Amino acid sequence: MKLDSSTRAVVTGAGSGLGRALAEELARRGASLLLADIDLDGASETVKLLGGARAHAVACDVSRAAAVEALAEEAERRLGGVDLVVNNAGVAVAGSVGEVPLDDWEWIMGVNLWGVIHGCHSFVPRLRRQGRGAILNVASAAGLLSTPRMAPYNVTKAGVVALSETLAGELAGSGVSVTALCPTFFHTNIMTSGRGDYMKGMTSTVERLMSLTKVQAPEVARAALDATEAGRLYAIPHRDGRWLWRLKRALPERYFDIMGLVTRSGAID
């Protein structure tokens, strides 16, 4: 599906970070945009940054099904329909299984997994009826690689990958494509809004990893939208993510032995 001036796109989590970068790249390609975020001020700031782009900001808590259904209805009113849905809103929780509070599990599941489920539930029937369009679900390499001490985040992102794969089969031949975006580390605000004591200990390590790559939010957004245009199921923009995924698929049990050793050594603390 070509992303151009005829494209009507909805982006969740568009108030900062990758969501803002995706909005900027879509605007560069000429799309009309409905930008959603639980922080309306952030979404409105993104609209301002886009200058003369055809863009509207709206508040939306993706963890609530009714709010996402209202977003779909708003897209029909503001844009006349939708061609691309970007389920991007996300948060982070880190820590070991049995130590992360269940409240934090429920919080991250509500945004990262239920938010994407809600987005697909509300928008996929609309796209299927019109016989064209695309879904871009923002997952993470964490959903493919299952790094220790990141269980809540891993579980939600693995769920997004599984949902995307399932949808790809269900929508085959319908004119609607599905892409799962699985980046590794790049500069984003997700750590500052995350929960869990282990998050605090990870901050310096994650910030260092974020700064090492040349593939930052603008490049991730461009790669994701290029993959969407091409109708590819997986978009894995970082080289380390691609190599680790290959290693896991080639040596699945050995891979987790290695990850356990690395974790116990303190290399990823």
Side-chain angles (χ1 to χ4, degrees), residues 1-8 29 83 225 228-230:
M1 184 184 89
K2 182 68 174 175
L3 301 176
D4 55 23
S5 59
S6 67
T7 303
R8 302 160 298 179
R29 300 182 189 207
D83 304 294
L225 295 173
T228 300
E229 282 196 325

Side-chain angles (χ1 to χ4, degrees), residues 95-177:
S96 299
V97 174
E99 296 179 3
V100 174
L102 291 178
D103 285 349
D104 288 350
W105 275 94
E106 291 177 3
W107 177 65
I108 194 172
M109 292 285 283
V111 178
N112 287 16
L113 184 52
W114 275 108
V116 179
I117 292 170
H118 292 153
C120 293
H121 180 78
S122 289
F123 285 99
V124 165
R126 290 170 163 87
L127 295 173
R128 186 186 280 118
R129 282 195 297 271
Q130 72 186 22
R132 68 181 189 282
I135 297 280
L136 172 58
N137 290 331
V138 177
S140 168
L144 303 173
L145 303 176
S146 304
T147 304
R149 298 181 185 171
M150 290 289 293
Y153 192 72
N154 295 344
V155 167
T156 59
K157 295 303 186 178
V160 172
V161 172
L163 175 59
S164 302
E165 292 172 339
T166 303
L167 267 178
E170 292 182 359
L171 293 172
S174 70
V176 181
S177 67

Side-chain angles (χ1 to χ4, degrees), residues 21 28 77 96 117 159 165 169 198 218 251 262:
R28 191 185 67 79
R77 286 193 293 270
S96 299
I117 292 170
E165 292 172 339
Y198 188 61
L251 301 167
V262 171

Side-chain angles (χ1 to χ4, degrees), residues 24-138:
E24 291 173 334
E25 181 62 22
L26 282 165
R28 191 185 67 79
R29 300 182 189 207
S32 300
L33 302 170
L34 183 61
L35 304 180
D37 201 288
I38 196 169
D39 174 16
L40 180 57
D41 289 342
S44 298
E45 181 64 23
T46 300
V47 170
K48 291 179 183 177
L49 290 172
L50 298 181
R54 295 167 294 171
H56 311 275
V58 62
C60 181
D61 178 356
V62 298
S63 71
R64 296 176 53 245
V68 178
E69 181 61 26
L71 178 64
E73 294 170 359
E74 185 72 4
E76 293 177 356
R77 286 193 293 270
R78 295 288 190 111
L79 305 179
V82 63
D83 304 294
L84 169 65
V85 179
V86 183
N87 291 307
N88 165 73
V91 294
V93 171
S96 299
V97 174
E99 296 179 3
V100 174
L102 291 178
D103 285 349
D104 288 350
W105 275 94
E106 291 177 3
W107 177 65
I108 194 172
M109 292 285 283
V111 178
N112 287 16
L113 184 52
W114 275 108
V116 179
I117 292 170
H118 292 153
C120 293
H121 180 78
S122 289
F123 285 99
V124 165
R126 290 170 163 87
L127 295 173
R128 186 186 280 118
R129 282 195 297 271
Q130 72 186 22
R132 68 181 189 282
I135 297 280
L136 172 58
N137 290 331
V138 177

Side-chain angles (χ1 to χ4, degrees), residues 1 39 182 184 255:
M1 184 184 89
D39 174 16
C182 299
T184 55
Y255 168 83

Side-chain angles (χ1 to χ4, degrees), residues 156-215:
T156 59
K157 295 303 186 178
V160 172
V161 172
L163 175 59
S164 302
E165 292 172 339
T166 303
L167 267 178
E170 292 182 359
L171 293 172
S174 70
V176 181
S177 67
V178 183
T179 298
L181 173 61
C182 299
T184 55
F185 293 101
F186 61 97
H187 284 296
T188 179
N189 297 328
I190 197 167
M191 292 297 292
T192 59
S193 62
R195 294 186 183 182
D197 291 340
Y198 188 61
M199 291 285 292
K200 300 173 185 176
M202 289 179 61
T203 300
S204 61
T205 298
V206 171
E207 287 179 350
R208 177 173 56 82
L209 292 171
M210 286 178 173
S211 65
L212 287 176
T213 180
K214 294 180 180 178
V215 182

